[in-house]
Amino acid sequence: MASTSATDIPPEVQAVNIPDGTTDFIPLRGKKYDLKKPHITELPITWSNWYKHVNWLNTTFIIFVPLAGLISAYWVSLQTKTLIFSIVYYYFAGLGITAGYHRLWAHTSYKASLPLKIWLAAGGAAAVEGSARWWSRDHRAHHRYTDTDKDPYSVRKGLLYSHIGWMVMKQNPKRIGRTDITDLNEDPVVVFQHKHYIKCVITMALIVPTLICGLGWGDYAGGFIYGGILRIFFIQQATFCVNSLAHWLGDQPFDDRNSPRDHVITALVTLGEGYHNFHHEFPSDFRNAIEWWQYDPTKWCIWMWKQLGLAYDLKKFPHNEIEKGRLQQQQKKLDQKRATLDWGIPLENLPVVSWDDFVQESKNGKAWIAVAGVIHDVGKFIQDHPGGKALINSAIGKDATAIFNGGVYNHSNAAHNLLSTMRVGVIRGGCEVEIWKRAQAENKDIATVTD
Amino acid sequence: MASTSATDIPPEVQAVNIPDGTTDFIPLRGKKYDLKKPHITELPITWSNWYKHVNWLNTTFIIFVPLAGLISAYWVSLQTKTLIFSIVYYYFAGLGITAGYHRLWAHTSYKASLPLKIWLAAGGAAAVEGSARWWSRDHRAHHRYTDTDKDPYSVRKGLLYSHIGWMVMKQNPKRIGRTDITDLNEDPVVVFQHKHYIKCVITMALIVPTLICGLGWGDYAGGFIYGGILRIFFIQQATFCVNSLAHWLGDQPFDDRNSPRDHVITALVTLGEGYHNFHHEFPSDFRNAIEWWQYDPTKWCIWMWKQLGLAYDLKKFPHNEIEKGRLQQQQKKLDQKRATLDWGIPLENLPVVSWDDFVQESKNGKAWIAVAGVIHDVGKFIQDHPGGKALINSAIGKDATAIFNGGVYNHSNAAHNLLSTMRVGVIRGGCEVEIWKRAQAENKDIATVTD
Ligand code: HEM
Ligand code: HEM
Ligand SMILES: [Fe+2]
Ligand SMILES: [Fe+2]
Ligand SMILES: [Fe+2]
Ligand SMILES: [Fe+2]
């Protein structure tokens, strides 16, 4: 890993002092904040001001309306046709978020033709998670400032916060990291959807399902409650899991410095967005799951659209780069484990003994055996030697390098390790290569110390 | 790994030229071979001599008798009591082999009191797999010469050979590696069982089960066929799996230079002897499975006998040594994988460019960016940059070390890897430490080349 890490530079400086070409986010809905006055989030929550901390608009849409829908469902019976339609519409809206908002607009991981873009923007609106422009801006900040205070849905603030809290509670617009969305401002579909967001949402999320079920099989009420309100609720909770569950549950095969994790459960819930450690590492890859047997229906759809000529320029990180990342993370874990084990007295801390002294001491009763230039005291081990007492005794006071390494028996790696715990000295002269090779095998880092 | 491996020394020399204190095996049963005449196994198998290659005694016991038993079973109905007894007796005989022959006598992985020894020798006789002395001698040769020609049941000669072929076909006594069994020759139980082997077998394998079922519930025929012959057949086939399946199916977490493997299926079949990669690496450990949740009933029994005061001095390899072995094997696999990946042009093969030339070339249209002392040509990547075109363009002709490493964005490990594929030169002077650190992270072995 090359040197400087984010922590060396105070966060305030990171995005501000160095010009980064960012054009700031211009909110279209919501109140205009006076940036000079302290924002409500900068004041502590008290009994008298708590309701000012709540984002009532969001709370209405993600909590009150679904609750009302759940209660109404008691009086509206669910017809089979309406159920099937709601499930299909669920996938349409879900893919609007995953294939549209996320992989197309936030990450530009592929290019889409105009009809596909309109289709995805319509699906995204049906999911009621904000405009593609707003969503992508926040999401880019999430990637760029993952786990920091500038991350709009940092899991470091708690699982519930990353799932829903960041929407229910008001956010300080000064806090969210700035990101470059010039490309989105040039996309007519994104701009249209953003400008006419409320109209788009009401049409796609409520009117269309109501009309389809109503005109189709006369179930206006079911279309509104199940195809509209309750479907929205499920799709919201499922996609919110990418911000919560995907930063909390699973493995980190590519990098464990930040919170993103890979888990099949998250993938199942989120139309394939659950391989999130991979995704944060290779965000502009149109895939989240790279193995064919992993569940990533969003990837399958993009691939299918490509076959139909609707999508093109699908970006993939080279296999070699992905495997390099995986390998380095494995190496990191291995090095961490290596540091917890006892590798015997380091060779450079052993006394240097002349050959004659070694022979003399062995004659005086020490159970010393030389292997690869290192002297070992096998006294306590003779009794336990799996090859018998006679053999190991026969090597005392001798250089057993050849005998130990195949002459009589080609000892296992385990035997070599055990041998290193018996070190008492190094023989003067002549065997440096072997000593050095052993140091290499045991702890690769030693090379950086002794060379 | 310290240097010399068995393959450097021709096999003929290995056990012969270097005195190793071995007392040779003295066969008690079987014909006396004239070592000067060529042994039958040294002659090719032909239509006229094939029957001389077959070990008819063994073939009778492991093939013909079980076959006869299977056929007779057609006329002898299986009573519940006899079935239960046969299963219990199966475990008694099986443990005689695994806990007795194998872990106690072949590997001296614990010590047993006289009553336990007698019990185990009786169980071993009931399994009809030869005397403890003969079995241990072969088994020690198997460990010492694993996978070589001197291994009595080398899996390199085929799965069927290692399972049963080595017993059905005659063996050249000159071929099997010599091993030290002086300790067994001093054990009165082993010597007694060896001297009176045929009597022991007939008593324990046939008479005892026949009498128990006969005197117990009048089922003499069932006791003979099911408790005797068929039970022997099952126990033989199961324990033979240690020589075949355990060298063929599964993982190699500790060492992959030889054939032994770990697999739960083999463990289930062989009373816990299926963690065979571990076992060949740590043969004098009384455990074959080291995790509590792995299936090793032989280990559980030995542990229980210890609680009862029947067994003592249970040998365990230190946890640290076991984990060292595991780690080194993981490192080996990782290094093998590392070598298959492309790590970019090695730093030492890059041209050295002065800072002024770097700046000049960038002004002349090259999309060069310096990071950590290395010049990168990002020309083809600008379009794909996940952080946008503007940002990456702003760094052309500059030293982007700080910007890249957190100044603007703290790039992922993947980005660092990708960067290394874009190398075109090294900046003269001043940045050696960073270049060197990068080489370390990418390919630890490079340190041995450049230092
Ligand atoms: C110097 C310290 C020694 C240590 C720490 C040591 C360790 C071991 C260990 C752990 C084993 C178990 C099998 C394996 O891991 O490969 C073993 C087996 C063996 N050792 Fe050693 N050994 C030493 C010296 C010797 C010497 C000097 C000889 C021969 C002159 C020898 C001959 C054998 C043989 C023949 C076996 C095979 C036993 C079998 O598998 O049945 N060892 N030794
Ligand atoms: C010099 C060659 C460069 C390469 C190979 C490169 C590569 C990448 C890659 C692979 C990502 C995806 C996220 C990640 O892996 O961390 C990324 C994101 C990013 N890069 Fe670069 N980058 C380069 C230069 C720069 C420069 C010079 C800047 C700033 C001046 C910059 C700013 C960013 C930003 C802000 C992101 C975050 C985008 C987001 O997550 O939404 N990059 N870069
Ligand atoms: Fe994320
Ligand atoms: Fe993302
Ligand atoms: Fe084996
Ligand atoms: Fe063994």
Side-chain angles (χ1 to χ4, degrees):
Chain A
M1 278 290 14
S3 50
T4 338
S5 89
T7 45
D8 301 340
I9 301 163
E12 325 75 73
V13 184
Q14 285 188 35
V16 181
N17 286 355
I18 302 171
D20 64 359
T22 299
T23 33
D24 222 329
F25 167 65
I26 309 144
L28 276 163
R29 288 175 305 127
K31 303 173 197 110
K32 288 254 153 39
Y33 296 107
D34 180 350
L35 288 176
K36 273 154 223 147
K37 273 202 257 165
H39 186 260
I40 177 71
T41 55
E42 289 161 30
L43 304 173
I45 303 184
T46 63
W47 279 110
S48 59
N49 80 354
W50 67 269
Y51 62 91
K52 288 191 195 161
H53 277 267
V54 174
N55 182 330
W56 290 105
L57 187 76
N58 283 352
T59 307
T60 307
F61 278 119
I62 55 187
I63 296 183
F64 293 145
V65 174
L67 221 64
L70 265 179
I71 295 168
S72 327
Y74 183 80
W75 292 276
V76 181
S77 68
L78 177 56
Q79 299 185 16
T80 313
K81 280 184 185 159
T82 308
L83 175 67
I84 293 169
F85 166 78
S86 300
I87 292 170
V88 172
Y89 209 66
Y90 173 99
Y91 280 96
F92 163 66
L95 284 169
I97 298 295
T98 61
Y101 281 29
H102 187 215
R103 301 196 198 180
L104 176 64
W105 284 305
H107 292 302
T108 60
S109 70
Y110 67 102
K111 294 208 177 76
S113 60
L114 190 63
L116 180 58
K117 273 190 191 173
I118 295 171
W119 175 264
L120 291 168
V128 197
E129 300 191 8
S131 73
R133 187 172 175 277
W134 172 85
W135 199 101
S136 299
R137 187 206 73 106
D138 261 18
H139 191 75
R140 287 185 187 178
H142 166 66
H143 271 266
R144 185 160 165 186
Y145 304 104
T146 312
D147 296 344
T148 70
D149 199 46
K150 296 181 174 198
D151 177 351
Y153 21 88
S154 168
V155 78
R156 300 268 191 258
K157 298 185 179 169
L159 192 65
L160 194 66
Y161 178 87
S162 68
H163 188 75
I164 207 164
W166 67 279
M167 287 169 288
V168 168
M169 304 303 286
K170 272 188 191 142
Q171 296 249 28
N172 188 339
K174 286 180 253 175
R175 185 179 63 73
I176 306 301
R178 293 188 303 162
T179 48
D180 181 358
I181 52 164
T182 41
D183 56 326
L184 300 180
N185 291 337
E186 284 160 16
D187 186 325
V189 178
V190 172
V191 171
F192 178 91
Q193 197 225 36
H194 191 73
K195 272 210 185 114
H196 306 280
Y197 182 65
I198 297 293
K199 280 167 250 167
C200 292
V201 163
I202 293 177
T203 312
M204 292 311 303
L206 298 173
I207 297 181
V208 170
T210 309
L211 284 186
I212 291 182
C213 298
L215 299 176
W217 48 95
D219 189 15
Y220 286 96
F224 184 75
I225 296 293
Y226 295 105
I229 303 209
L230 288 183
R231 174 200 50 79
I232 297 173
F233 172 68
F234 284 117
I235 201 94
Q236 282 176 344
Q237 296 302 318
T239 43
F240 295 168
C241 283
V242 182
N243 298 332
S244 53
L245 215 55
H247 283 261
W248 184 75
L249 172 75
D251 303 326
Q252 306 193 297
F254 297 100
D255 200 346
D256 63 4
R257 290 178 302 173
N258 290 332
S259 62
R261 284 160 190 276
D262 281 6
H263 205 289
V264 62
I265 290 185
T266 320
L268 288 173
V269 172
T270 60
L271 300 178
E273 305 275 33
Y275 301 95
H276 208 60
N277 193 257
F278 174 86
H279 172 64
H280 269 260
E281 203 63 11
F282 306 100
S284 55
D285 199 305
F286 83 97
R287 308 163 299 174
N288 266 16
I290 47 172
E291 308 292 347
W292 65 264
W293 45 266
Q294 288 171 325
Y295 181 76
D296 187 354
T298 303
K299 171 184 80 177
W300 302 334
C301 287
I302 297 171
W303 183 88
M304 208 181 60
W305 294 330
K306 188 193 162 185
Q307 310 309 312
L308 298 175
L310 293 167
Y312 54 104
D313 281 3
L314 275 53
K315 280 190 209 156
K316 260 189 191 185
F317 262 75
H319 180 73
N320 187 59
E321 298 309 304
I322 296 171
E323 291 308 313
K324 270 155 79 177
R326 200 196 296 275
L327 185 122
Q328 285 163 330
Q329 176 61 21
Q330 283 169 348
Q331 184 66 60
K332 184 177 170 185
K333 292 233 176 91
L334 226 52
D335 288 344
Q336 284 166 353
K337 195 175 161 201
R338 192 193 305 278
T340 67
L341 298 174
D342 173 12
W343 295 90
I345 303 170
L347 294 166
E348 57 274 25
N349 298 354
L350 290 174
V352 179
V353 180
S354 76
W355 178 259
D356 293 341
D357 286 350
F358 160 68
V359 175
Q360 195 52 49
E361 291 287 342
S362 305
K363 281 192 185 138
N364 294 347
K366 293 244 165 81
W368 279 6
I369 296 180
V371 176
V374 181
I375 303 171
H376 305 88
D377 185 342
V378 303
K380 290 194 196 118
F381 180 65
I382 295 176
Q383 288 296 327
D384 293 334
H385 181 230
K389 282 174 242 172
L391 285 177
I392 192 166
N393 267 326
S394 72
I396 289 175
K398 297 190 190 141
D399 184 335
T401 312
I403 313 179
F404 188 84
N405 287 300
V408 172
Y409 173 59
N410 190 19
H411 282 80
S412 69
N413 192 34
H416 281 92
N417 281 335
L418 202 61
L419 196 64
S420 70
T421 64
M422 303 174 189
R423 291 170 181 170
V424 290
V426 173
I427 292 195
R428 190 184 311 282
C431 300
E432 278 171 316
V433 172
E434 263 143 357
I435 295 178
W436 184 85
K437 270 190 193 163
R438 165 166 287 269
Q440 275 292 96
E442 285 173 9
N443 190 337
K444 300 214 154 209
D445 290 340
I446 231 166
T448 70
V449 179
T450 54
D451 275 353
Chain B
M1 278 292 10
S3 51
T4 337
S5 88
T7 45
D8 301 340
I9 301 164
E12 324 75 73
V13 185
Q14 285 187 36
V16 180
N17 285 355
I18 302 172
D20 65 358
T22 301
T23 33
D24 221 329
F25 166 65
I26 309 145
L28 275 163
R29 288 174 305 126
K31 304 171 197 113
K32 287 254 153 37
Y33 296 107
D34 180 351
L35 288 175
K36 275 153 222 149
K37 272 202 257 165
H39 188 260
I40 178 71
T41 56
E42 289 162 29
L43 304 173
I45 303 184
T46 63
W47 280 110
S48 61
N49 80 353
W50 68 269
Y51 63 90
K52 289 190 194 162
H53 277 266
V54 174
N55 182 329
W56 291 105
L57 187 76
N58 283 351
T59 307
T60 307
F61 279 119
I62 55 186
I63 295 183
F64 294 143
V65 174
L67 221 64
L70 264 178
I71 295 168
S72 327
Y74 183 79
W75 292 276
V76 181
S77 68
L78 177 56
Q79 299 186 15
T80 314
K81 279 184 187 160
T82 307
L83 175 66
I84 292 168
F85 165 77
S86 301
I87 292 171
V88 171
Y89 209 66
Y90 173 100
Y91 280 96
F92 162 66
L95 283 169
I97 298 295
T98 61
Y101 281 29
H102 188 215
R103 301 196 197 180
L104 175 65
W105 284 304
H107 292 302
T108 59
S109 69
Y110 66 102
K111 294 208 177 75
S113 60
L114 189 63
L116 180 57
K117 275 190 190 172
I118 294 170
W119 175 265
L120 291 168
V128 197
E129 300 191 7
S131 74
R133 188 173 174 276
W134 171 86
W135 198 101
S136 299
R137 187 205 73 106
D138 261 19
H139 191 73
R140 287 185 187 178
H142 165 66
H143 272 265
R144 184 161 164 185
Y145 304 105
T146 312
D147 295 345
T148 71
D149 200 46
K150 297 181 174 199
D151 177 350
Y153 21 88
S154 167
V155 78
R156 299 269 191 258
K157 299 187 178 168
L159 193 64
L160 195 66
Y161 178 86
S162 68
H163 188 76
I164 206 164
W166 67 280
M167 286 170 289
V168 167
M169 304 303 287
K170 271 188 193 140
Q171 296 249 27
N172 188 340
K174 287 179 255 175
R175 185 179 63 74
I176 306 301
R178 294 186 302 162
T179 49
D180 181 358
I181 52 164
T182 41
D183 56 324
L184 301 180
N185 291 337
E186 284 160 16
D187 186 325
V189 177
V190 171
V191 171
F192 178 92
Q193 197 224 36
H194 190 74
K195 272 210 185 116
H196 307 280
Y197 183 63
I198 296 293
K199 282 167 249 168
C200 291
V201 163
I202 293 177
T203 313
M204 293 311 303
L206 298 173
I207 298 180
V208 169
T210 309
L211 284 186
I212 291 182
C213 299
L215 300 176
W217 48 95
D219 189 15
Y220 286 96
F224 184 76
I225 296 293
Y226 296 105
I229 304 208
L230 289 182
R231 175 200 50 79
I232 297 173
F233 171 69
F234 285 117
I235 201 95
Q236 282 176 345
Q237 296 301 319
T239 43
F240 295 168
C241 283
V242 181
N243 298 332
S244 53
L245 214 55
H247 283 260
W248 183 76
L249 172 75
D251 303 325
Q252 306 193 296
F254 297 100
D255 201 346
D256 63 5
R257 290 178 301 173
N258 290 333
S259 61
R261 286 160 189 276
D262 281 7
H263 204 288
V264 62
I265 290 184
T266 320
L268 288 174
V269 172
T270 59
L271 299 179
E273 305 275 32
Y275 302 95
H276 208 61
N277 192 258
F278 175 85
H279 172 64
H280 269 260
E281 201 66 7
F282 306 99
S284 55
D285 199 306
F286 83 96
R287 308 163 300 174
N288 267 14
I290 47 173
E291 308 291 347
W292 65 265
W293 45 265
Q294 288 172 324
Y295 180 76
D296 187 355
T298 303
K299 171 185 79 177
W300 303 334
C301 287
I302 297 171
W303 183 87
M304 209 181 59
W305 294 329
K306 188 193 162 186
Q307 309 310 311
L308 299 174
L310 293 166
Y312 54 104
D313 280 4
L314 276 52
K315 281 189 208 156
K316 261 190 191 184
F317 262 75
H319 180 72
N320 187 61
E321 299 307 303
I322 296 170
E323 291 309 313
K324 270 155 78 177
R326 200 196 296 274
L327 186 123
Q328 285 162 330
Q329 175 61 23
Q330 284 168 347
Q331 184 66 58
K332 185 177 169 185
K333 291 233 176 92
L334 227 53
D335 287 345
Q336 284 166 353
K337 195 175 161 201
R338 191 194 304 279
T340 66
L341 298 174
D342 173 14
W343 295 90
I345 303 170
L347 294 166
E348 55 276 25
N349 298 356
L350 290 173
V352 179
V353 180
S354 75
W355 177 259
D356 293 341
D357 285 350
F358 161 67
V359 175
Q360 195 51 48
E361 290 287 341
S362 305
K363 283 194 184 134
N364 294 348
K366 293 244 166 80
W368 280 7
I369 296 180
V371 177
V374 181
I375 303 171
H376 305 89
D377 186 343
V378 303
K380 290 193 195 119
F381 180 65
I382 295 176
Q383 287 297 327
D384 293 334
H385 181 232
K389 282 175 244 174
L391 284 178
I392 192 165
N393 267 326
S394 73
I396 289 177
K398 296 189 190 144
D399 184 334
T401 312
I403 314 179
F404 188 84
N405 286 299
V408 172
Y409 172 60
N410 190 19
H411 282 80
S412 69
N413 192 34
H416 281 91
N417 282 335
L418 202 61
L419 196 64
S420 70
T421 64
M422 304 176 190
R423 291 169 180 170
V424 289
V426 172
I427 292 197
R428 190 183 311 282
C431 301
E432 278 171 316
V433 171
E434 263 143 355
I435 295 178
W436 184 85
K437 271 191 193 162
R438 164 168 287 269
Q440 275 293 95
E442 285 174 9
N443 190 337
K444 300 211 154 211
D445 291 339
I446 231 167
T448 70
V449 179
T450 53
D451 274 354

